[in-house]
């Protein structure tokens, strides 16, 4: 395991998220972001265009298991300061299945939800996907007014990304 001296601070890191988090001391950050590499929905539903281009590239990436994702979230809870926040990205399938409920509210409590809208119609057997969700989790003690000072943030984010020069990582 790497120790905290192995990582230069305030630059983009490369490596394993769990290893990085484990190198950090308790209660050292006010805010974390976690956009896990999961593809449960794609694995569950074999859409017609799964075999081509971007989706097949994505399917080859190693995904994080639910157990790994939970382990990362528990480490986030440890490194967060009291009343600190974790912004956890999730898709519709994982949200409706309640995957986030595997983390007890005593560890991190869901205190808000933001829906993203990429303005690009996606896949779906019923409604078609046009964005994801951001669970706002807070470490106890739960405090709103004392911790959230920007009251201009809406719970719908519309952001169309120009994919013309994007590559799959
Ligand atoms: C859903 S994408 C997040 C994209 C990111 N929000 C962005 O805008 O670039 C998940 C990312 O997790 C990375 N990843 C996969 N396994 C990882 C691991 N064990 N530790 C750290 N990062 C990992 C992938 O390389 C991928 O870039």
């Amino acid at each position: 395991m790497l120790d905290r001296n192995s990582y230069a601070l305030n630059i983009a890191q490369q490596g394993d998220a769990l290893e990085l988090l484990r190198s950090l001391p308790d209660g050292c950050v006010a805010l974390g972001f976690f956009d896990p590499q999961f593809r449960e929905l794609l694995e569950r539903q074999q859409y017609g265009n799964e075999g081509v281009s971007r989706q097949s590239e994505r399917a080859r990436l190693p995904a994080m298991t639910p157990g790994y994702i939970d382990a990362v979230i528990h480490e986030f809870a440890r490194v967060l300061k009291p009343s600190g926040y974790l912004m956890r990205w999730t898709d519709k399938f994982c949200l409706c299945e309640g995957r986030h409920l595997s983390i007890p509210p005593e560890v991190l409590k869901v205190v808000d939800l933001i829906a993203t809208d990429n303005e690009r119609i996606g896949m779906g057997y019923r409604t078609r996907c046009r964005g994801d969700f951001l669970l706002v989790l807070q470490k106890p003690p739960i405090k709103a007014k004392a911790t959230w000072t920007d009251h201009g943030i809406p719970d719908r984010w519309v952001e169309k990304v120009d994919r013309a020069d994007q590559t799959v990582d």
Side-chain angles (χ1 to χ4, degrees):
M1 185 172 110
L2 298 176
D3 63 33
R4 74 190 67 158
N5 299 320
S6 306
Y7 295 96
L9 298 179
N10 300 321
I11 60 164
Q13 307 288 338
Q14 286 193 338
D16 182 68
L18 194 51
E19 196 169 86
L20 167 63
L21 286 164
R22 284 178 174 157
S23 75
L24 300 176
D26 294 354
C28 66
V29 297
L31 175 65
F33 291 89
F34 186 32
D35 185 2
Q37 179 82 43
F38 59 88
R39 58 164 186 270
E40 289 189 60
L41 180 62
L42 285 175
E43 280 174 356
R44 203 170 67 88
Q45 299 181 309
Q46 296 298 312
Y47 291 110
N49 60 354
E50 173 71 3
V52 295
S53 66
R54 188 178 176 82
Q55 296 301 342
S56 63
E57 289 300 313
R58 197 174 146 192
R60 277 201 286 274
L61 288 172
M64 295 176 179
T65 64
Y68 179 91
I69 290 171
D70 281 1
V72 167
I73 291 171
H74 276 279
E75 276 305 299
F76 264 117
R78 184 186 63 75
V79 303
L80 280 174
K81 295 178 179 177
S83 304
Y85 288 99
L86 174 63
M87 306 296 175
R88 174 183 179 176
W89 264 259
T90 185
D91 66 11
K92 180 167 62 175
F93 173 72
C94 292
L95 183 64
C96 293
E97 289 287 305
R99 291 295 156 80
H100 56 285
L101 299 176
S102 61
I103 306 296
E106 303 79 41
V107 176
L108 285 175
K109 180 174 167 49
V110 178
V111 293
D112 215 325
L113 180 70
I114 294 170
T116 65
D117 179 358
N118 59 28
E119 295 191 312
R120 183 176 286 107
I121 193 114
M123 297 181 288
Y125 286 126
R126 294 183 185 86
T127 65
R128 294 180 55 186
C129 195
R130 218 177 73 172
D132 283 316
F133 297 89
L134 184 54
L135 288 159
V136 181
L137 309 176
Q138 188 173 34
K139 179 173 176 171
I142 304 304
K143 296 178 182 175
K145 288 182 184 168
T147 58
W148 195 289
T149 55
D150 185 341
H151 300 296
I153 301 173
D155 68 0
R156 299 287 187 279
W157 284 354
V158 181
E159 185 178 30
K160 190 167 189 172
V161 176
D162 181 7
R163 284 184 175 168
D165 59 356
Q166 278 192 321
T167 54
V168 175
D169 58 358

